[in-house]
Amino acid sequence: MSDDRIKMAHGAGGSLMRDLIGDVFVRGGGDDPDVVGPEAMEDGGAVRVGDRWLVTTADAHVVAPAFFPGGDIGRLAVCGTVNDLAMMGATAPLGLTITVVVEEGYGRDDLRRIQASIDAACAEAGTRVLAGDTKVMGKGEVDGVVLSSAGFGFADRLVRDRGMRAGDRVIITGSIGDHGLAVMSARHDLGLGDQLQSDVAPLNTLVARLMEAVGDDLVGLKDATRGGVSAVLHELADKNGAGVVLDDVALPISDAARAAGELLGVDPLVVANEGKAVVIVRPGAVEAALAALRADPLGRDAAAIGEVIADHAGRVIVDTGFGRRLLAEPRGEPLPRIC
Amino acid sequence: MSAPQVDRLQFRDPVRARALLDRLRALTADRVDRPVTLMHVCGTHEQAIARFGLRSVLPPGLDLVMGPGCPVCVTSAAEIDAAVDLTRRGVRVATYGDMIRVPGTTLSLADAQAEGGRVELVYGVDQAVELARAEPETPLVFFATGFETTAVTTAAALLAGPPDNFFVYSAHKYVPPAMEVVAAMPDTRVEGFLAAGHAATITGFDLFEPMARAWGKPIVIMGFEPLDILAALVRAVELVISGTPTVENLFPRCVTGPGNGRALGALWQVFELTRGHWRGIADLDAADLDLRPEFARWDARVRFDLPRQLGDGDDTAACPVCPPQQRCGDILVGNARPDDCPLFGRACTPDSPVGASMVSSEGMCRIWFQYGGRPELGP
């Protein structure tokens, strides 16, 4: 009986969430070659318009605390939306909509700060808010402030999830786990000071450089948000019937993120990033991809971290340098261990 | 990424690791048919072993099993039921994340939360005390699980004088008696033990001396980095093969003979040993940590009338949540591996755990499900 109730874990970006979406929200579809709908479970949807694709995406943002080291919910809303569009190949977002749901009693100054962040992030990404909506709910009916956003833009070439095959290489555009661990550290007051900052940033320019550098050798692109790098790789492995081997030693993880992860008992690979993408390229394009990424400040720490294999379909294996193990697929909210 | 490579290289050096693995392979070469069986008693050890992929490279002549080293796994279902019941009585219950999804007889604390009960996830007892302070009108019970390592922190919080609306529901357990149970089992294959380095940091290793003598089995104190683990395995195998039942400390950068006097002082000032029920194993004498009477004003067992419930000896079969084919008990004492259990990975997964060992990140089943580590992962 209790299984029919939605639990927090259903919103954490892992397999439970995918199951819920498949069970309740996505029914059928996928027959029209000129449409990418929700059944594709990609970062956004798209419809063909002439010889281009109109890409759209929708996103809701609930983060506690709303202001965290390195960003806030306003910046998160803009970047999350811009990045989802970019991951589909739409790197020049035409515009966004933002809906703000506020709890009675919320501070006007905090709303002003959030709006200032929205404006600044839009300027960074070269886009604008075209429309919005504001709702106020009673005390206790919503936790502080919730943002919901949508965005749209054109892609000349759609980057899909299903082009990966054995031999392809896995690249990450920078350090892993910073956003999730910064927020968790702030939430649990770990006292790490400003050592750990969210990486929240718009990736559209970085992606545009990458697409220009490697062209059709770019065969997979996903921002590693909820569920982190692990969720993204498991999803790609699953969709493509392939396995992935990650090189543990090559993973770019900052000392602060490593320390926070060890303290909390949470693997940086399963926590959210808000300014990093997992890139899959054909083997011959690795150097060109890395060079293009590293030329951009947001891709400075880009690294080749793994390889696609034919065996172990749907699995992600970590080569630790000592031996091999499976990488955990995030299922629900990562829980801290006790000792 | 930057400087700390130096540190990691000391204890995470694959070249040294290969040398130790070669030594292990040589030592156990003629034991492939009847592997040298070592038991560690710590979920964090299993985590480390799995996380570094060591199980995929251990030689076939060595069988490394995990004993009752997951505090969440051995917390009795009756105690979880009582915690669920507290939430229905309007009490806030704070506990560690691992504990929230462990099923009681019918419900877990996560289920209680979905029903509207107030369940707070905390990273430490201090956070629970703060939560109690922030809402002085509402009683808050800290459902305290964990071994002596974690119990020390609970003791420190009580000695610091928490607020009147803060209570401790102690499900803390003490490891040495559980090791004794395993060592005393007539059909045990275990030839040597690896003691948990962090627990021994508190308790010291002197207390293991009489055990090693009495059981005639070596005990090696083991740390948590890959080289700590491999070095301790090599030493333990050497002691087993030479028939030397001594205690050796292979984690000397943290562990001393007498242990941490201040922590032990706090532990025994606040807690006393009592007979308790270890889920899936048995009722064990002097293996649970109860608050002493001087701390009764903060004792949830006293305040909310929660008597300690014992099973009838080994209760695996009698446990209402355990289907008869489930092998939690065998797994918890190291007599079976997770993949010996017919439910493992099928009816029992982290999404819908049947046994507690599949819930906690310290649980053997969860760790095996999560990390694999079986030889087929090799290149």
Side-chain angles (χ1 to χ4, degrees), chain A residues 188 255 320 325-326 336-338, chain B residues 4 51-52 96 98 123 371:
Chain A
H188 296 285
D255 300 339
T320 65
R325 63 160 166 93
L326 295 177
R337 58 154 186 252
I338 66 168
Chain B
R51 207 178 115 202
F52 291 106
Y96 297 109
D98 294 49
Y123 284 79
Y371 290 117

Side-chain angles (χ1 to χ4, degrees), chain B residues 166-216:
Chain B
F166 175 82
F167 303 93
V168 168
Y169 184 26
S170 173
H172 284 308
K173 311 234 176 237
Y174 188 57
V175 174
M179 288 169 73
E180 189 140 20
V181 166
V182 174
M185 285 191 308
D187 52 349
T188 187
R189 294 173 297 127
V190 176
E191 294 165 87
F193 286 91
L194 300 147
H198 52 11
T201 303
I202 307 283
T203 62
F205 62 79
D206 287 346
L207 87 165
F208 293 115
E209 299 278 4
M211 301 182 198
R213 270 198 304 276
W215 309 337

Side-chain angles (χ1 to χ4, degrees), chain A residues 8-28:
Chain A
M8 289 304 292
H10 285 109
S15 55
L16 283 181
M17 189 177 85
R18 275 195 278 155
D19 293 346
L20 175 70
I21 292 171
D23 179 48
V24 177
F25 298 112
V26 177
R27 295 284 182 173

Side-chain angles (χ1 to χ4, degrees), chain A residues 267-281:
Chain A
D267 186 346
L269 287 169
V270 305
V271 303
N273 307 272
E274 294 293 346
K276 299 294 156 40
V278 169
V279 179
I280 313 290
V281 294

